[in-house]
Amino acid sequence: MVLHGSASSVGPARYTYITQATAGVPGTPEAHDGFGQSVASADLDRDGYADLIVGTPREDAAGFESRGTVSVVWGGPGGLSGGAAVAPPSGYGEGREYCQFGREVAARHGRGRRARSVGGLALRSGGVLGALHPGRQAGLAVSGGRLGGVRGVAMGDVDRDGRAERFWLLGSAEDDYRGPVRLDNGPSVPGNPLANAPVRLPLADGHRGRIGDVNGDGYGDLVTGIAEDPSMAGSPDAAHLGGEIQVLYGGPDGITADQRPTVIHQDSPGVPGAAERGDLFGASLSLGDADGDGIADVLVGVPGEAIGKLEWAGAAVLLRGTEGGLSGAGSVAYNRSTAGIPGAAEKDDAFGSTVHLADLTKDARAEALVGVPAENSDGCVWAARGAASGPVTAGSVNHCGKSFGITGRGDHPGPLR
């Protein structure tokens, strides 16, 4: 589903509902395909309108179970319509099942005069792969599942050369539970497996990542999250208690292998709350300028956070970007017991399972959007307007599935444990 932005943000008055049954969209809707498990947008065809990229990681394809597919739904003056399939790189997952192509997608807008973003919010429903290049001004990176060897991807310009770098986050490994991070070094060369091998960043970790300029120097910075702590992972090599995020700063040489990341968690100075077992700080991440100062801020999901005695009620924390970099100074926490947020915190809501910062009103301040997937049977998204002080809870709203004609199957989805 795509909620279309306007001067009054998003709501049920304007939205587009897309499935594999929508005319022009590749594939056929089937149970458990996971269409929309990952989404991204970018102007792939350079027509001035953002296109929607949708991953369907559990779709059976080419005769193999859960091989996964990726589709593009084209944007245009009349909105989203039509579509095309994105083929995986040659040789990817050949003869294998459960590759889950499209488990995560990342895209980057180009710098050309016609490339622009769209005021809208896309909501989820329900070996290293290399990168795909639909056009010179935009790019797309796709991860696969456990056989693909990549858990997450991040894409952005970290050396200000006008081209996006791609980072592969491989997920937990036997010798590195916190998750190795690799910098893509170009397409593979048939017959020469060592050519263009990804660059290992030995001091960095992460299971998911996003890129944005959190210190205002014009270079993209990589922010990664490792949510699973030793109490959940059963490994002392896991994240700080309650989860953590890491920051690697871009520069003229990009992000180099010898850079030691800045680590932030709920025991860091200024960060609200306290690090506790199973909080999952860093389970979701989004970067955007929430206060209009020209520097990206970071919204961090903490879906396992207990609010009082309410286990897994969930929270989200806004970390403010500054010229000195990212830290806990001035950070703010949100949960469904925060004054101004409609509703009330409840056990197992999992508020913060997904988070998003996006300027939906064209006022140069990103709205904060937080997923509450286990609210009732249909799930909700909490939306707060951006302001000079950051997202404002007064007047914030919950957009729930039933408002858009979405109803659950009658079973409570439960927390995302």
Side-chain angles (χ1 to χ4, degrees):
M1 182 192 302
V2 176
L3 310 186
H4 297 286
S6 70
S8 59
S9 189
V10 294
R14 292 184 64 236
Y15 68 94
T16 301
Y17 190 66
I18 299 171
T19 73
Q20 286 183 299
T22 302
V25 175
T28 301
E30 299 166 313
H32 311 301
D33 276 352
F35 181 83
Q37 179 172 316
S38 59
V39 292
S41 67
D43 183 5
L44 300 181
D45 55 3
R46 296 191 292 168
D47 65 352
Y49 297 92
D51 309 303
L52 184 67
I53 303 106
V54 185
T56 314
R58 295 188 299 279
E59 184 166 38
D60 298 345
F64 295 99
E65 187 174 352
S66 293
R67 187 170 188 264
T69 62
V70 173
S71 303
V72 174
V73 184
W74 302 112
L80 292 161
S81 64
V86 178
S90 177
Y92 165 73
E94 187 172 354
R96 294 179 177 177
E97 296 184 329
Y98 304 106
C99 294
Q100 295 188 3
F101 181 68
R103 177 175 176 173
E104 185 164 350
V105 296
R108 175 184 180 266
H109 287 280
R111 296 178 178 268
R113 63 181 179 88
R114 301 189 68 188
R116 66 182 185 184
S117 62
V118 64
L121 169 64
L123 304 180
R124 300 196 311 181
S125 308
V128 173
L129 301 186
L132 308 172
H133 304 276
R136 293 181 60 190
Q137 289 184 311
L140 170 64
V142 183
S143 82
R146 62 178 184 268
L147 291 179
V150 178
R151 178 167 175 173
V153 294
M155 189 172 184
D157 187 358
V158 300
D159 56 8
R160 213 161 62 180
D161 66 353
R163 295 178 295 180
E165 282 70 45
R166 293 165 298 274
F167 295 85
W168 310 112
L169 293 88
L170 307 187
S172 299
E174 289 185 4
D175 59 345
D176 187 354
Y177 188 89
R178 298 161 68 90
V181 179
R182 302 286 189 268
L183 170 61
D184 182 49
N185 202 29
S188 59
V189 177
N192 187 355
L194 298 181
N196 294 342
V199 176
R200 181 172 179 261
L201 303 181
L203 304 179
D205 309 287
H207 291 167
R208 60 202 51 81
R210 299 289 184 267
I211 292 177
D213 183 6
V214 299
N215 62 356
D217 64 357
Y219 297 94
D221 309 307
L222 174 63
V223 181
T224 66
I226 314 104
E228 294 86 352
D229 65 21
S231 72
M232 304 182 73
S235 168
D237 186 42
H240 182 87
L241 181 67
E244 67 183 60
I245 69 167
Q246 298 187 3
V247 187
L248 290 162
Y249 293 99
D253 297 321
I255 293 175
T256 57
D258 60 350
Q259 183 179 159
R260 185 173 296 276
T262 298
V263 179
I264 300 174
H265 42 69
Q266 286 184 292
D267 283 335
S268 298
V271 177
E276 299 167 314
R277 296 176 57 181
D279 279 347
L280 290 180
F281 182 88
S284 56
L285 295 169
S286 185
L287 276 65
D289 185 2
D291 51 18
D293 65 355
I295 303 175
D297 308 300
V298 181
L299 189 60
V300 183
V302 199
E305 180 88 341
I307 306 302
K309 295 183 179 180
L310 302 173
E311 295 181 355
W312 273 80
V317 174
L318 182 75
L319 303 173
R320 299 184 186 276
T322 70
E323 292 183 356
L326 196 68
S327 71
S331 56
V332 183
Y334 305 91
N335 64 70
R336 299 194 71 214
S337 291
T338 302
I341 295 181
E346 298 174 308
K347 182 178 183 291
D348 289 344
D349 270 353
F351 181 95
S353 294
T354 57
V355 295
H356 193 55
L357 290 172
D359 182 11
L360 306 176
T361 58
K362 296 182 68 175
D363 65 354
R365 296 176 180 132
E367 277 67 50
L369 303 123
V370 178
V372 197
E375 172 67 9
N376 301 323
S377 62
D378 54 341
C380 297
V381 172
W382 172 68
R385 293 287 296 267
S389 58
V392 178
T393 60
S396 63
V397 296
N398 286 326
H399 297 300
C400 300
K402 291 178 182 177
S403 299
F404 302 90
I406 299 174
T407 56
R409 299 179 180 177
D411 53 335
H412 193 287
L416 306 180
R417 299 185 182 181

